[in-house]
Amino acid sequence: MAKASWILLLVVALAATVSTARALDSLPFIEMPLYVGEQRTALGIYEGDNVNAAVEKFGVTHALSPDELTTLKAEVTRRFLSIAQAVNGAPPAAAAAKEPLFEIPVGLQDGRVVPLRLFEGDNLVRAVRQFAKEQNIPEDVIPALFEEVKKRVVPADPDAKPSGGDGDAALSTPEIIFDIPIDVDGDVHYLKLYRGDVLGDRVKAFAVEHKLTDALAQKMLEAVAERIRTSQESERAAEAKRAQQQQQQQEQERQEEQEEEKAKAQPLYEIPVDVNGAVFPLRLYEGDVLRAAVEAFVAQNGLDASTVPILIDEVAARISNKPSPQQQQQQQQQQQQQQQQQAAATAASLEPLVSLAVSLDNPNPDALPLPPIAMYAGESSQAVADAYCKANGLDVATIAPQLAQVLTERAEQKTQEQHHAAAGVTAAAGGGAVSQ
């Protein structure tokens, strides 16, 4: 009972009917304590009750699943048989203590349809031979009957590996496709349809077992067929709905991914559009279709559809006259590169106006020599000297003025030399002209 969510406990009460004790009339004939989930309850069966109907009613009241209900029926039957065994001192037949796994309707030569019942653990060969013996089926018919029964109960799985020869393996629980309650003279019986069953054969066997007339059997067949058809249609509709919901969810996820990608990407164009006095940006990304983008913008902002052509013309005109943000960024980058190249060329072409080696007395013989100091045209000698002292860890207050004075003197001397050189070139040129 591993599948059940409840646990059968010990039988705690077995009431005897006493004609003189009317107070006992309202007590159950037998009561079985149960756990449904974590709640303790009891299954009470009164004298004269149909046990199967009582268990069915209990299952409906406590919303038991079909598997749990089947397990409960088997356990209740086992308990009753155990009580009978204790009272009578004789064990019941093994087959009577269990519900059949299969009931296969077999048509006999005299026109009767008799169910061949197979129970869990039965050997298929022996069960078929026993049935043939009980129903006086000729020996030469048994192989064909065995093959037909085998088709019904042995799964047609090419990968299945039987534990023994044909028919030697113990039978396992088959797959129930439908479990339909049928009211027969006030008692509820279940028509079980397993995978591979033929509906007409199963209904015919049920009718024979419960002594139904042909008219009732035909009505039952039509009602069961209609219920199966309705159930299958509902299942197909539910499956189609699940597939549609899954497709819609996938489409929504795809659109959300596209929106996220667009949000991360930089638009090619961002054009402000006045919407009822408020300005909203119309963004165009790489790969966008102008009409589709404008229609989405109009729908998103609640504009009339008639504005779509007007917006398309206006946006197209703005795009033709205005570079996109990416184009503007590229232009700015190109300008910055040109400026950097020009600055580098200018710096490379400049030579220092004054460049002097600096040497100071240092008691540390391992100290590194100081770098030269350079001053370019337009620079202040004092500023250059201060910066040099700070950069090289020298005393700004003491050494910077001395360096500034030397830089000033050298700058003046170089300027005079340049003037003299220029004047000499001019005089040489004038003397030549006079001499001619």
Side-chain angles (χ1 to χ4, degrees):
M1 296 174 61
K3 293 183 178 179
S5 59
W6 38 265
I7 303 173
L8 288 172
L9 302 179
L10 296 176
V11 176
V12 298
L14 179 59
T17 304
V18 181
S19 58
T20 58
R22 294 192 175 184
L24 296 179
D25 291 345
S26 60
L27 296 178
F29 178 73
I30 189 170
E31 188 175 54
M32 294 184 181
L34 309 170
Y35 275 112
V36 178
E38 297 181 356
Q39 182 180 1
R40 177 172 173 149
T41 183
L43 168 61
I45 299 175
Y46 295 82
E47 186 173 6
D49 277 356
N50 180 286
V51 176
N52 191 57
V55 176
E56 294 288 348
K57 183 178 179 181
F58 181 88
V60 172
T61 303
H62 294 87
L64 300 183
S65 68
D67 290 342
E68 293 173 339
L69 189 58
T70 300
T71 305
L72 177 59
K73 286 181 180 180
E75 182 63 19
V76 170
T77 302
R78 189 189 68 79
R79 292 294 180 93
F80 272 110
L81 292 173
S82 177
I83 294 173
Q85 180 181 356
V87 173
N88 299 327
K98 299 181 290 184
E99 288 190 359
L101 294 179
F102 298 92
E103 286 188 7
I104 303 171
V106 179
L108 304 180
Q109 291 181 349
D110 58 4
R112 292 182 300 122
V113 177
V114 180
L116 168 59
R117 294 183 173 89
L118 299 173
F119 297 85
E120 185 174 3
D122 278 355
N123 180 279
L124 188 56
V125 174
R126 289 195 291 270
V128 171
R129 287 190 174 277
Q130 180 64 28
F131 176 83
K133 181 179 179 181
E134 293 173 355
Q135 304 299 332
N136 297 320
I137 296 175
E139 186 72 21
D140 58 346
V141 180
I142 294 178
L145 175 61
F146 170 77
E147 290 298 329
E148 183 62 28
V149 172
K150 180 182 175 184
K151 291 179 183 178
R152 300 287 187 92
V153 301
V154 178
D157 184 1
D159 298 328
K161 297 180 179 180
S163 59
D166 289 346
D168 290 340
L171 298 175
S172 59
T173 304
E175 180 182 0
I176 297 180
I177 305 301
F178 292 97
D179 193 4
I180 303 172
I182 306 294
D183 189 316
V184 180
D185 296 332
D187 292 335
V188 177
H189 300 274
Y190 278 79
L191 173 64
K192 292 182 172 61
L193 298 176
Y194 299 90
R195 185 174 298 279
D197 276 352
V198 178
L199 178 60
D201 293 345
R202 181 64 69 178
V203 171
K204 189 174 181 180
F206 184 91
V208 171
E209 180 181 359
H210 297 282
K211 299 180 176 58
L212 303 181
T213 64
D214 292 343
L216 288 177
Q218 182 61 30
K219 290 183 179 180
M220 173 182 168
L221 176 61
E222 294 173 356
V224 171
E226 176 63 20
R227 176 166 180 175
I228 292 174
R229 184 188 63 80
T230 304
S231 177
Q232 290 175 341
E233 288 181 353
S234 300
E235 185 176 352
R236 284 194 294 267
E239 183 64 28
K241 185 176 181 181
R242 286 193 295 269
Q244 182 181 6
Q245 291 176 346
Q246 184 178 6
Q247 184 177 1
Q248 291 176 350
Q249 183 178 0
Q250 291 175 350
E251 179 64 21
Q252 182 178 357
E253 291 175 354
R254 186 182 66 82
Q255 292 178 357
E256 290 176 354
E257 290 177 357
Q258 291 179 348
E259 293 296 331
E260 290 179 359
E261 291 178 358
K262 281 189 175 183
K264 294 177 182 178
Q266 185 176 4
L268 292 177
Y269 297 93
E270 186 171 326
I271 301 172
V273 178
D274 190 308
V275 179
N276 298 326
V279 178
F280 295 92
L282 170 58
R283 297 182 176 90
L284 299 175
Y285 297 85
E286 184 175 0
D288 278 354
V289 178
L290 179 57
R291 173 173 289 277
V294 171
E295 289 176 348
F297 177 82
V298 168
Q300 182 179 1
N301 293 281
L303 301 180
D304 191 84
S306 60
T307 61
V308 171
I310 301 174
L311 278 177
I312 290 177
D313 294 339
E314 182 178 350
V315 171
R318 294 192 185 183
I319 290 175
S320 61
N321 296 327
K322 179 181 179 181
S324 67
Q326 288 186 352
Q327 293 173 340
Q328 293 177 356
Q329 184 178 3
Q330 291 176 356
Q331 292 175 358
Q332 292 176 356
Q333 291 177 352
Q334 291 176 356
Q335 292 176 357
Q336 291 176 357
Q337 290 177 356
Q338 292 176 356
Q339 292 175 356
Q340 291 174 358
Q341 292 174 356
Q342 291 176 357
T346 302
S349 63
L350 292 176
E351 292 184 0
L353 180 63
V354 178
S355 180
L356 300 174
V358 179
S359 177
L360 299 174
D361 294 337
N362 193 335
N364 184 8
D366 297 330
L368 296 175
L370 294 171
I373 185 171
M375 183 179 69
Y376 292 85
E379 289 185 334
S380 167
S381 59
Q382 186 62 52
V384 172
D386 290 347
Y388 181 85
C389 290
K390 291 178 181 179
N392 293 280
L394 303 177
D395 187 2
V396 177
T398 304
I399 299 176
Q402 300 176 14
L403 289 176
Q405 182 179 358
V406 174
L407 289 173
T408 302
E409 292 175 353
R410 287 297 183 91
E412 292 175 352
Q413 180 180 356
K414 189 168 185 178
T415 302
Q416 291 176 359
E417 291 176 353
Q418 290 175 349
H419 288 164
H420 290 315
V425 170
T426 303
V434 171
S435 63
Q436 289 178 350

